[in-house]
Amino acid sequence: MDELITLYMVAPDVQDIFTEGRSDRNFLQEHLLGEDMPALCTVYAVSDRVHIPDGELISSGLMVGERGRILWLARQLAEKCPKHSSAILVADKDFASLGADAGEDIHGLLYTDYSSMEAYALNERTISKLLRISLGVPDYVTPSMLISAIKQALVSLFLIRLLLRDSGTGATIPPKMLSKWDIDDQSESKVKEVLRLALQGISAGERNGVTPDSLYLQYAEYERGLGEEFRNYINGHDVSLAIVRFLKAECGQVFNRDGRRALQDPEVLEVVMMSCVEKSHVDAEPMFQALQKWVQSEAQNAKEEIDVQPG
C-alpha cells in the first residue's frame, strides 16, 4: 500500500483501474479504449496489485472478498491521497440495490450499473450471438424467450443467497440443488425447501434461531421492494447456470454436438457469453462512459503538461 501511494505521488501521470477479479479485468480492458488506451493506463485485478489481508477487511467492517478489497483500497487512497486522479476502482453493486451492501460514495470508486459485471450480457443482442453463433440453437428459441424464462429464477437465487449470507449461519445453497435448479418453479414452497436444505447442515445451536419460515418472511419483504430492472437483482455466476438449465430443458441436443459439450459447464459458458458482449453496447452504459471520460481526460492532462515543458 505504501509503495502504491509513493508511486502516485512521484508519477501522477500513472493511471490504474482496479477490478474485483481477473475476468472483470479482462472485460474492462477489452471494452474501454482498446488500442487508444494511454500507455500508462493499466487495468488490474485488485489482488494482483495490492496485498490486503482478510484481517484488514474485518477490522474495517467490510465483507471478506474481492469487493471488500476494492472498498478498502478506495478508502485508503481517498484518505492518504485526497482528490487523487491516479486510480479508479470498480466494484460490483451486488446487494446494494436492496440496501444490504455498502454503496459508499468514495472518491475514485465506481459501481457497476447493475448488480454484477455479468449483467451487461443480459440483453437481446448479446444473447442472440451466444445462441446463434456459439451454440447453434434452433431459431425458435429467441433471446427474448430465454431472458424472460430465466429472469425470475435469477432474482429468486439472488434473494436466497442474500438471506443465507446475512443469516449468520454460514449456510449456502446445496450444490446438487443448484446444479438441478428448476427455473420454472419459484413458488413459496420451493423457496422454503431450498432454505430448509441449506440450514439442514447447520447444527441447531449455530442457527441463532433462524428457520426457513423466518427467512422466507424476509424473502417476501425483499421481493416487495424490487424495482423494475431485474438486472439489479442477479448474482453474476447464476446467469450461465440458468441459461444451461433453460437450454437443456428446451433443446438439450445442442450440447451433444461436437465442440459444444464443454459449454454445458456454466463456468465455460460464462466465459463465452461475456465474449459476446459488444463494445458498442456497453459504451452506452453510465459506468463505462465514466471510465472512458476519466481515461481520456487524464491522458489529455498528461499531454498538456508535456507540451508546456521548457524546450
Side-chain angles (χ1 to χ4, degrees), residues 165-184:
R165 188 199 73 174
D166 289 355
S167 69
T169 64
T172 58
I173 301 173
K176 183 178 290 187
M177 171 162 278
L178 191 59
S179 66
K180 297 182 178 180
W181 193 267
D182 183 355
I183 62 171
D184 294 322

Side-chain angles (χ1 to χ4, degrees), residues 19-29 92 117-118:
T19 69
E20 292 185 24
R22 291 176 182 171
S23 294
D24 290 351
R25 179 263 174 207
N26 295 340
F27 187 71
L28 289 186
Q29 178 78 29
D92 282 349
M117 202 71 76
E118 290 78 13

Side-chain angles (χ1 to χ4, degrees), residues 187-209:
S187 63
E188 178 178 343
S189 60
K190 171 65 177 293
V191 172
K192 285 185 176 180
E193 178 190 8
V194 177
L195 296 173
R196 179 182 62 80
L197 291 174
L199 292 172
Q200 192 170 265
I202 310 297
S203 67
E206 295 176 330
R207 293 185 189 177
N208 303 317

Side-chain angles (χ1 to χ4, degrees), residues 44-102:
Y44 294 101
V46 62
S47 289
D48 287 340
R49 189 71 176 88
V50 186
H51 175 62
I52 307 170
D54 289 353
E56 291 283 358
L57 304 180
I58 295 170
S59 64
S60 299
L62 295 167
M63 298 286 292
V64 172
E66 299 312 282
R67 186 179 191 272
R69 288 180 169 81
I70 288 286
L71 297 179
W72 184 90
L73 181 56
R75 290 178 182 177
Q76 293 294 312
L77 290 176
E79 177 186 339
K80 297 179 180 179
C81 297
K83 305 302 180 183
H84 67 86
S85 59
S86 298
I88 287 287
L89 302 100
V90 178
D92 282 349
K93 192 183 292 184
D94 274 7
F95 300 110
S97 293
L98 290 171
D101 269 335

Side-chain angles (χ1 to χ4, degrees), residues 93-100 112-116 119 122 150-162 219 221-239:
K93 192 183 292 184
D94 274 7
F95 300 110
S97 293
L98 290 171
T112 52
D113 296 292
Y114 311 108
S115 58
S116 67
L122 280 171
I150 68 173
K151 64 182 183 180
Q152 188 53 53
L154 291 174
V155 173
S156 292
L157 285 169
F158 181 81
L159 295 180
I160 291 170
R161 289 184 185 280
L162 171 58
Y219 177 97
E221 184 176 335
Y222 277 134
E223 197 171 36
R224 287 190 292 271
L226 297 176
E228 292 185 5
E229 178 53 81
F230 83 97
R231 288 177 291 181
N232 283 327
Y233 313 108
I234 64 170
N235 177 280
H237 299 310
D238 287 337
V239 176

